[in-house]
Every structure is written in structure tokens, then in C-alpha cells.
């Protein structure tokens, strides 16, 4: 495990998950330890050590608990629907697996977008990798400033494409209320 590793933790998700809120303090504490172990596992989000799934005995050893207590807490978490178990019997976090899938997809899309290959131009319209060189950044910045100045000038000195409608020759029919005012009586 590297020093740069970190785990996304959203307090609102932790406090707002009704399934987790129904569990005891001990079960929630075990779940946090399990999340930390699943974050370091391969594949991420699965409760594994190396290629082996973690059983209650091993989990008890890893979390400084007794196997009997860990089994009880795992049953409580499973009954509340906090975690899932795959077809091979491995416990996994649905959210962590989903986030890992999104992360891999995002990395793939980012790599495809910023690569210099012409095969990506068709998919994304154009390759932005060329525009990220130091020379082109200066050029792009100058063009951007010019276009913003031009837009600001056009906004200040806006001339409409057509004249606004002229209602000055239309007859005015004042209402009853307007006729009773002093302005129209004089």
C-alpha cells in the first residue's frame, strides 16, 4: 500500500444510510474496518487478502475481535443489507465497486481524449492534446482575450438587426379608471 492512498468518505452518506443506521455501534465499527480492507484489496471493493476471500476468523484477527463476535456482527450487517456477497461468497461493497467502475471508465475516456492519435479525432471531434503545449497555450490565451474583448465591445455598442416596433401612431383607448384620474381630465 502506498502513502498516497486515500479513501473517499462522505459523512452524509454514512449518517444518511438507513440500513447502516439500524446496526449497532460495534457493527458499524466493523464495517468501517472492512471498508478500509476492501479499499486496499484487488479488486477494489471486495473483502479479500491477496487472492483469498476473508472469512470470519481472518477478519477477527485483522480487526482484533473474536471470531464469534465478528460472525454475529457480520450477520447483523448482512441482515440490514449493508453489504453484498457475490456468487463465490466474497463480501463486497456495492458503492465501492460502482465507484471503481466509474473511475476506470473515466480514466479510459480521459486517456482517449488527450492522446495524440488520429483515431480519437473521430470520436471526440478533435484532439485537444495539441492545444496543451506551452506555445499553444499562449496563443490560445491571446485569442481568448481578443474574443472576449470583441464580445464586450459588441455588447456595449449593440445595434439591433432590426428597428423595434413603433406604436406611436396606434390609437390610445384609456380605461375607465384612467379617465377618472386628474391627469386626463385637464
Amino acid at each position: 500500500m502506498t502513502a498516497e492512498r486515500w479513501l473517499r468518505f462522505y459523512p452524509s452518506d454514512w449518517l444518511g444510510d438507513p440500513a447502516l443506521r439500524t446496526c449497532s455501534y460495534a457493527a458499524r465499527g466493523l464495517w468501517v474496518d472492512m471498508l478500509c480492507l476492501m479499499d486496499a484489496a484487488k479488486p477494489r471493493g471486495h473483502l479479500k487478502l491477496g487472492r483469498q476471500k476473508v472469512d470470519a476468523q481472518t477478519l477477527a484477527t485483522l480487526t482484533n475481535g473474536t471470531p464469534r463476535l465478528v460472525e454475529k456482527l457480520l450477520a447483523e450487517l448482512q441482515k440490514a443489507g449493508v453489504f453484498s456477497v457475490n456468487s463465490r461468497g466474497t463480501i463486497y461493497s456495492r458503492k465501492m465497486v460502482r465507484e471503481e467502475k466509474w473511475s476506470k471508465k473515466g480514466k479510459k475516456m480521459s486517456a482517449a481524449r488527450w492522446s495524440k492519435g488520429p483515431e480519437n479525432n473521430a470520436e471526440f471531434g478533435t484532439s485537444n492534446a495539441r492545444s496543451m503545449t506551452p506555445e499553444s497555450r499562449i496563443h490560445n490565451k491571446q485569442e481568448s482575450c481578443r474574443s472576449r474583448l470583441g464580445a464586450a465591445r459588441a455588447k456595449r455598442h449593440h445595434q439591433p438587426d432590426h428597428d423595434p416596433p413603433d406604436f406611436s401612431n396606434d390609437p390610445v383607448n384609456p380605461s375607465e379608471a384612467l379617465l377618472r384620474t386628474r391627469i386626463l381630465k385637464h
Side-chain angles (χ1 to χ4, degrees):
M1 185 145 72
T2 65
E4 295 114 25
R5 199 83 186 130
W6 60 278
L7 174 67
R8 265 190 212 127
F9 180 79
Y10 298 102
S12 60
D13 289 352
W14 178 260
L15 295 173
D17 184 358
L20 191 60
R21 299 290 5 141
T22 63
C23 296
S24 65
Y25 291 124
R28 290 192 305 242
L30 178 65
W31 179 240
V32 169
D33 281 355
M34 291 168 62
L35 288 173
C36 293
L37 292 168
M38 287 186 269
D39 183 61
K42 297 233 187 288
R44 184 175 179 267
H46 291 76
L47 190 59
K48 291 181 128 188
L49 277 177
R51 302 183 130 231
Q52 300 296 317
K53 69 179 183 177
V54 176
D55 60 352
Q57 174 69 39
T58 309
L59 188 58
T61 304
L62 291 170
T63 59
N64 297 327
T66 63
R68 188 172 175 185
L69 178 62
V70 168
E71 285 175 1
K72 177 185 166 199
L73 297 175
L74 282 173
E76 182 181 347
L77 289 167
Q78 188 170 18
K79 182 180 176 189
V82 173
F83 63 80
S84 293
V85 180
N86 67 13
S87 60
R88 295 183 178 153
T90 303
I91 294 171
Y92 69 94
S93 164
R94 294 177 299 274
K95 182 176 181 181
M96 205 176 279
V97 169
R98 185 175 54 244
E99 285 176 349
E100 184 67 11
K101 181 180 171 185
W102 291 341
S103 175
K104 285 181 181 178
K105 185 177 180 182
K107 285 177 187 174
K108 181 181 173 187
M109 295 299 289
S110 178
R113 179 180 173 107
W114 295 105
S115 71
K116 294 184 180 184
E119 65 277 357
N120 296 321
N121 291 348
E123 185 178 350
F124 296 107
T126 181
S127 174
N128 289 334
R130 290 186 313 265
S131 66
M132 296 309 290
T133 62
E135 300 82 21
S136 65
R137 286 186 188 138
I138 293 169
H139 179 71
N140 289 347
K141 190 172 185 179
Q142 290 170 347
E143 282 184 10
S144 175
C145 286
R146 276 191 226 114
S147 66
R148 281 185 292 187
L149 282 172
R153 285 186 187 121
K155 195 174 186 180
R156 277 194 309 262
H157 305 291
H158 177 66
Q159 296 296 326
D161 295 337
H162 61 282
D163 291 330
D166 183 18
F167 297 109
S168 61
N169 294 331
D170 289 352
V172 177
N173 297 324
S175 66
E176 294 275 333
L178 193 58
L179 289 173
R180 284 182 280 185
T181 62
R182 292 184 187 171
I183 297 172
L184 291 180
K185 287 184 178 179
H186 289 56

